[in-house]
Amino acid sequence: MHADLSRSTFRPERHYSAVVAQQGRVQLDADLNEQTAIQLHQARTLAADLIGPHGGPRDAAGFRIEYVGGKHEIDTLLIHGGRYYVDGILCDAGRPAAGVPVTGEESEDSTPEPPATWTYWDQPDGFRDPEKPGDRLPSPAQAPFVAYLNVWERSVSAAEDPALREVALGAAMPDTAARVKVVWQVLPLSLAALEIEETDPSKEVVRAAFTRWAQRRSAPSARLAARSERPGHADEDPCLVKPDARYRGPENQLYRVEVHAGGEAKDATFKWSRENGSVVFPVDELDGTWVQLASLGHDDKLDLDVGDHVEFVDTAYASRLEPLPLLRVEELDLPGRRVRLSAEPDPGVGRLAHLNPYLRRWDHRGGPRRQGRSAALRDGAIPVTEGEWLPLEDGVEVYFAQGGAYRTGDHWTVPARTATGGVEWPVDQARRPLLQGPAGIARHFAPLALVKGEGSAVDLRLAFGPLASSVPAADEATLAAEEQARREEQAAEADPSGGRSQTTAEAEAAAEGDN
C-alpha cells in the first residue's frame, strides 16, 4: 500500500500468531501493522478453509446477476445486494441508505429505502465509462459471456478520503493512519478468453474453465531482487554515513518499485519512490497544465521540485489500474500553491471534485545510467530491463528476472538503513540476493453468472448454510441411563448412610473407635 511506512514485516511462512509488546520499548508502525496482518491472515484463511474458494450465505448471498438490455445499445447488469466471500475476503454488495436532509417535516415514512441493486455502470469501485467501447458489455445475442467478480485491495489516504483527517490537529499537521479498502468489480469475460468452444456450456464446464483462467491471472510471474552496492561517487560524498557503507543515503528509507505499464518486458515500465509512494498533494483545481494544490509538502523532503515526475490520480483512476503517462513538474508557484506540468492530464482523470484528484510524486529523474548517460524514459516511466542490475540511487540496485510478465500496480518494497549501510532483502547462505515475487497486488476472482440474454443468466455462485443447528434429542437408552443416575443421586442425598443398615453403620463406627 502507498503509505508512509518504515517497513513491512509480516511473513506468513514464519507462522507467528501474535505480536507481543514489551514495556519501555519504542513502538513501531511495523509491529502494529504486522499484528493486523496476522489477524487478517488467520481470519481469511479460516473463512477460505470453511467456505472454499468462493461462496455466500444461503439466505443472504450477494451478487446475483441480471442482464438488462438498454436503449441506444447501452446494456447493463443488475447486481443484487448481499455478501459473498472470495478466498476468504468479504465482499458486501449492500447499498447504504440515502441520508434525509432536515426540512422540518421529517417522519419515519420519509426515510428512503436503499436501492436493492447496483448496476454495472454505477457499482462503487467499477468506474465503467459508457463512452469507452472497451467498457461496454458484450452482446449475449452474439455469444454468451461470464460475469465475474474481481477482488483486490488498495490503500486510501486522507488525500483521497478527506474524512480520514482529524481537523482538530490543524492544517499544518500531517495526516494520521491510512486505510486498506476491499475493491470489488463485476466485469464481463468472453467464453473465448476461457478457451470454451461450446456455445451452450454447462455450469461445470464454465466453473472449471474459469478456475484455470483465474489461476493464471492471480499468479504473477515477475520476480525481482534488490541489493546495495557501493556507488562510484561514494568517495566524493560528504561523510554523512559510514565510509564503507554500500547504501549512501543520509536517511532510512522504504523504497517502492512499482510496475507502471504491464505486459512483457519489452513493453513494461516501472517507477520508484524512496517514500513508498506516499508523497501526495490534493488538487483543488486544474487549469490546462497548471494544477492548484490544496497544500504543499511539510518540508523539503516531502515537497515538489522542478524535474519531479508525478501521477495525476483520482479515485476512479486508482481503481481501474490503468497506466497513464507520468508528467514532469516544469514550474512552481509556491505562493499560489500551483505547479505547471509538462502536459495536460488525460481528459478522463481529475475533472470531478468528488473523485478527490491528487498528485503522487515519484522519485526517479531518469532511467539507469550506463556509460555516463541515463536511459530514456517511456511516458515518464523507466523501461524494464531484465537480467541486469539497475541502479536507483545511493547504491540501491534492483534486478528483474528474465521471462517475467508484468502487471500494472505490482510492487516490491526495499528498506534501506543507514545503521547497516545496506538494504534488507532475503539472501542465501552465500549472501546472494534472492528473487522474490511482488508484495502485491493480490488479485482474486469468482464466477457469478453465465449471461445468455435478458432474463436468462445461469447462476454460477455457490452457497453455504449456517453451522449451528438444533441440539438433537437423546435416544431412549441414553434418556433411561440419565434418569437412573438422577434417581440414585436423589436417593444418596436422602439417605446419608448410603443404603447401609443402622447396625452395620454402628459396628463400623465402633471398630474405628477401637482403632
Side-chain angles (χ1 to χ4, degrees), residues 60-258:
F63 297 93
R64 182 168 66 85
I65 299 298
E66 291 184 71
Y67 174 83
V68 178
K71 298 179 180 179
H72 309 296
E73 300 181 353
I74 303 297
D75 303 333
T76 190
L77 299 174
L78 299 183
I79 306 167
H80 289 258
R83 299 181 300 280
Y84 207 69
Y85 294 83
V86 181
D87 291 334
I89 301 174
L90 171 62
C91 303
D92 194 336
R95 295 197 68 157
V100 180
V102 176
T103 61
E105 300 178 357
E106 302 85 16
S107 67
E108 292 185 1
D109 295 338
S110 65
T111 303
E113 290 290 332
T117 63
W118 296 96
T119 72
Y120 174 75
W121 299 108
D122 71 1
Q123 54 182 307
D125 292 302
F127 299 106
R128 302 293 99 181
D129 186 354
E131 299 300 322
K132 293 183 177 181
D135 282 357
R136 295 191 181 186
L137 293 169
S139 172
Q142 298 177 355
F145 66 89
V146 172
Y148 74 97
L149 199 55
N150 177 36
V151 181
W152 55 286
E153 291 179 304
R154 67 178 181 88
S155 59
V156 177
S157 69
E160 192 171 349
D161 184 359
L164 297 180
R165 184 181 296 276
E166 174 52 78
V167 296
L169 297 176
M173 293 295 291
D175 57 355
T176 54
R179 303 293 188 272
V180 177
K181 177 183 177 65
V182 173
V183 175
W184 61 258
Q185 299 165 326
V186 175
L187 302 174
L189 183 65
S190 67
L191 294 184
L194 295 176
E195 300 178 350
I196 297 178
E197 298 180 357
E198 303 175 45
T199 57
D200 188 19
S202 65
K203 284 185 178 183
E204 291 72 21
V205 169
V206 175
R207 284 175 177 155
F210 187 90
T211 298
R212 293 190 295 269
W213 175 86
Q215 288 174 344
R216 294 193 299 268
R217 288 291 301 272
S218 60
S221 64
R223 295 181 299 162
L224 177 139
R227 71 180 184 184
S228 55
E229 288 292 307
R230 184 175 170 83
H233 61 84
D235 294 333
E236 303 172 4
D237 290 344
C239 294
L240 298 178
V241 294
K242 296 188 301 182
D244 60 344
R246 293 162 292 135
Y247 167 60
R248 298 289 295 182
E251 298 183 19
N252 298 319
Q253 302 289 359
L254 182 62
Y255 285 88
R256 181 187 187 93
V257 178
E258 182 174 315

Side-chain angles (χ1 to χ4, degrees), residues 357-381:
Y358 57 94
L359 295 181
R360 186 185 303 280
R361 189 191 80 187
W362 296 94
D363 293 321
H364 62 274
R365 291 297 183 96
R369 295 183 65 86
R370 295 185 181 86
Q371 298 179 352
R373 301 180 61 183
S374 296
L377 300 179
R378 186 190 307 153
D379 288 334

Side-chain angles (χ1 to χ4, degrees), residues 315-388:
T315 301
Y317 170 77
S319 295
R320 288 179 65 99
L321 285 178
E322 294 178 350
L324 294 174
L326 301 181
L327 304 176
R328 187 175 182 271
V329 175
E330 298 289 348
E331 186 178 349
L332 293 174
D333 174 15
L334 296 180
R337 302 196 313 275
R338 299 194 309 159
V339 298
R340 182 170 65 85
L341 304 178
S342 56
E344 186 173 351
D346 187 274
V349 179
R351 269 63 175 185
L352 301 177
H354 71 276
L355 294 179
N356 299 309
Y358 57 94
L359 295 181
R360 186 185 303 280
R361 189 191 80 187
W362 296 94
D363 293 321
H364 62 274
R365 291 297 183 96
R369 295 183 65 86
R370 295 185 181 86
Q371 298 179 352
R373 301 180 61 183
S374 296
L377 300 179
R378 186 190 307 153
D379 288 334
I382 307 170
V384 167
T385 302
E386 296 182 332
E388 63 179 272

